[in-house]
Amino acid sequence: MAACEIRDSRMGVCESDPLSRIPKTTDHSLYSAKLCRPTLSDCSFMEEFEEEDYDLWEKMQDETRSDVEREPILSSYYHAAVLCHQSLEIALANHLSLKLSSRSLPSGTLVDIFVSILNENEEIMEAVKYDLMAAKKRDPACISYVHCFLNFKGFLAIQAHRIAHKLWSQGRIVLALLINNRVSEVFAVDIHPGAKIGRGILLDHATGVVVGETAVIGNNVSILHNVTLGGTGKASGDRHPKIGDGVLIGAGTCILGNIKIGEGAKIGAGSVVLKEVPSMTTAVGNPARLLGGKDNPKRLDKIPSFTMDHTSHIHEWSDYVI
């Protein structure tokens, strides 16, 4: 406890955390989701989250106290990870630094880097909150925000990538690649620091996810384990996929080359995608094909990354029975 207090003091933690409050914005689209269902025709790709969900830090502290009441043996762990910190930024920086540290890369070195990035970049912390909410709303295995924060390696890998990407954009290439390497070793998730990732991202299970340097992932995307967003060979330059908002990518999928996956598309598990996929359509198979055919593909009426529906398309093309 004492060490934690000293660390917080050294980082200059403020008495109050302005990021824990509802953001002041004139963009009312952030809150319009509660007025419509997540379908393309109703509200396109508005956020699926309600206004009250923004005060996550207070919610996480309440969840932590509740968990400690149920499992007193974990009180020291929960206190060091959550309760002794004054803000989500500090807690995340400390948690990531402990996860990614090694004998030659002490947590004290990493936490200073992480805190500096998180405190200076409000957009990263907003993305962190949207990622937490995405896990809570879309993954039935997520029992609480603090459960995701402490235990979901997909969530932690994305946040470490956000820090590495900021370092990459600042020209601190070696440090960004070092963090990327540690994330790959610890979480089995390899996201190049040059990749651009939106907010509201769910990496479900996350093991084996690979994302190339020039890949772009939009907002509110859900990706299962063993997914590769890769290149097609030795070509340099812009060579990786561009994933639109609201896309759902099933487990074991490979999407290769500088191709676009349109907004709200669904990619079935185990697919190999080498060509562009139109918005609000479903692609399945190896090589992937569009349900309904390329000339008149069947259109989805809900955003697949929100519904997390991986199987409703099967009866359209398969005669498989049990």
Side-chain angles (χ1 to χ4, degrees):
M1 178 176 175
C4 181
E5 291 173 347
I6 292 172
R7 175 173 291 183
D8 283 355
S9 176
R10 174 168 58 87
M11 294 170 189
V13 182
C14 298
E15 293 183 358
S16 63
D17 175 21
L19 288 176
S20 68
R21 297 189 294 271
I22 297 172
K24 301 300 188 294
T25 176
T26 57
D27 183 7
H28 301 291
S29 65
L30 290 177
Y31 308 133
S32 65
K34 61 182 178 181
L35 303 176
C36 55
R37 300 176 61 187
T39 66
L40 180 65
S41 59
D42 289 338
C43 58
S44 186
F45 298 96
M46 299 303 177
E47 308 295 351
E48 59 182 325
F49 313 119
E50 296 184 356
E51 181 173 346
E52 67 249 28
D53 286 333
Y54 275 97
D55 198 2
L56 288 185
W57 180 237
E58 182 178 345
K59 289 178 180 290
M60 289 171 60
Q61 291 177 308
D62 290 342
E63 292 171 349
T64 299
R65 295 185 186 98
S66 178
D67 286 350
V68 170
E69 289 180 3
R70 288 194 294 266
E71 290 289 352
I73 195 173
L74 298 177
S75 60
S76 296
Y77 170 65
Y78 273 102
H79 187 272
V82 178
L83 293 177
C84 78
H85 302 299
Q86 297 183 27
S87 69
L88 179 56
E89 294 94 323
I90 301 299
L92 179 58
N94 276 271
H95 193 48
L96 281 176
S97 68
L98 291 173
K99 289 284 188 180
L100 299 178
S101 62
S102 64
R103 288 186 178 181
S104 57
L105 189 64
S107 61
T109 299
L110 290 175
V111 77
D112 288 337
I113 298 168
F114 295 170
V115 166
S116 175
I117 295 294
L118 295 177
N119 276 336
E120 294 173 2
N121 295 273
E122 184 174 348
E123 73 279 2
I124 293 181
M125 291 309 303
E126 283 301 300
V128 169
K129 292 185 176 186
Y130 275 90
D131 293 345
L132 278 168
M133 291 187 283
K136 182 66 168 60
K137 287 182 176 290
R138 299 180 213 159
D139 187 350
C142 183
I143 61 176
S144 66
Y145 293 119
V146 75
H147 173 60
C148 173
F149 175 82
L150 294 176
N151 303 314
F152 279 27
K153 66 179 184 179
F155 168 78
L156 294 172
I158 294 173
Q159 310 326 315
H161 165 76
R162 296 192 190 283
I163 294 171
H165 179 71
K166 177 59 67 173
L167 294 168
W168 179 271
S169 66
Q170 294 173 347
R172 303 175 71 179
I173 304 300
V174 174
L175 181 55
L177 289 172
L178 176 62
I179 294 172
N180 162 243
N181 180 65
R182 287 298 297 156
V183 170
S184 179
E185 292 176 340
V186 174
F187 299 133
V189 176
D190 189 349
I191 306 176
H192 192 283
K196 299 177 181 178
I197 298 181
R199 64 186 189 179
I201 306 300
L202 172 63
L203 292 189
D204 196 351
H205 298 291
T207 300
V209 169
V210 177
V211 180
E213 177 183 0
T214 61
V216 177
I217 300 175
N219 297 322
N220 301 313
V221 173
S222 296
I223 300 176
L224 274 288
H225 51 284
N226 287 325
V227 166
T228 297
L229 306 182
T232 58
K234 295 173 62 177
S236 59
D238 194 356
R239 60 195 184 279
H240 296 108
K242 310 298 181 283
I243 310 300
D245 297 345
V247 170
L248 172 62
I249 304 177
T253 292
C254 290
I255 304 176
L256 306 178
N258 184 13
I259 59 175
K260 180 180 179 181
I261 307 301
E263 294 180 339
K266 175 162 62 173
I267 311 299
S271 299
V272 177
V273 184
L274 304 175
K275 295 183 178 181
E276 180 173 325
V277 176
S279 298
M280 301 302 290
T281 63
T282 301
V284 296
N286 179 8
R289 60 195 183 279
L290 296 177
L291 292 187
K294 65 179 182 179
D295 295 327
N296 188 28
K298 182 176 180 180
R299 304 282 295 181
L300 297 168
D301 62 355
K302 292 184 173 70
I303 300 174
S305 68
F306 290 174
T307 65
M308 297 294 290
D309 180 1
H310 294 273
T311 61
S312 64
H313 61 276
I314 290 178
H315 71 279
E316 299 290 340
W317 57 271
S318 175
D319 58 359
Y320 175 79
V321 295
I322 296 177

